[in-house]
Amino acid sequence: MRSLDHLFEHSSRSLARRTSRRSLLASLGQLLTGAALLPLLPVDRGGRAWASDAKSGGPETCEYWKYCAIDGFLCSCCGGTSSSCPPGTASSPITWIGTCHNPGDGRDYIVSYNDCCGKTSCGNCECNRNEREKPVYRPSRNNDLNWCMANADSNYHCTVSVILGVAEK
Ligand code: ABN
């Protein structure tokens, strides 16, 4: 009887020892795997974009870097965004072009300013900046024209700024 007790005691002790070691190893494995996968988790890097926006004002302020040659109402204050027309308006196919410096990355960008047409003037966030603007006899570099003139509905509503590319030095 004593040898049976001894046998059971021995086997349960050995099982307990093995089980706890195994679970320790399993936890350690999980920990190491988790630590290795941590850098692969998605990270919101939007903060950097906002940081560069903050340097030059956000898209709803006239100081925003993309607006360096704009003249009109900011579509981002009229139900659209800095680069898309508000619902119910259509973008002008002819535009004027500016070159603006982005303080966020130190590069210069070619920006197209499209008027959004088909509704009466938005009236919000008027912005008139004229960096590198040329006289009206060079219309593609001039911002004093209603570029809705070629649209079916030539009512001017607001202006968007669309990045066309990086300006080469
Ligand atoms: N391109 C902006 C604009 C629209 C109407 C009149 C003047 C300027």
Side-chain angles (χ1 to χ4, degrees), residues 71-73 96 113 115 142-148 156 158-159:
D71 177 6
F73 302 113
W96 76 106
Y113 297 99
D115 287 340
N142 183 274
N143 64 19
D144 299 326
L145 296 166
N146 177 3
W147 287 104
C148 292
Y156 166 75
C158 62
T159 305

Side-chain angles (χ1 to χ4, degrees), residues 46-155:
R48 243 187 292 166
W50 281 108
S52 72
D53 285 2
K55 275 191 204 166
S56 65
E60 278 146 41
T61 66
C62 191
E63 291 71 39
Y64 190 46
W65 70 270
K66 262 200 314 178
Y67 301 150
C68 75
I70 206 167
D71 177 6
F73 302 113
L74 304 179
C75 288
S76 48
C77 300
C78 302
T81 69
S82 72
S83 58
S84 62
C85 286
T89 63
S91 176
S92 63
I94 47 172
T95 69
W96 76 106
I97 305 287
T99 304
C100 300
H101 182 75
N102 180 355
D105 62 8
R107 296 205 280 185
D108 294 336
Y109 288 85
I110 299 165
V111 182
S112 165
Y113 297 99
N114 299 58
D115 287 340
C116 297
C117 321
K119 280 183 176 177
T120 52
S121 276
C122 160
N124 297 334
C125 302
E126 186 174 4
C127 181
N128 187 7
R129 291 174 56 190
N130 304 304
E131 284 178 33
R132 286 177 280 275
E133 191 205 12
K134 295 283 182 258
V136 75
Y137 58 78
R138 291 197 57 191
S140 64
R141 300 288 191 84
N142 183 274
N143 64 19
D144 299 326
L145 296 166
N146 177 3
W147 287 104
C148 292
M149 63 180 117
N151 284 54
D153 185 337
S154 60
N155 270 317

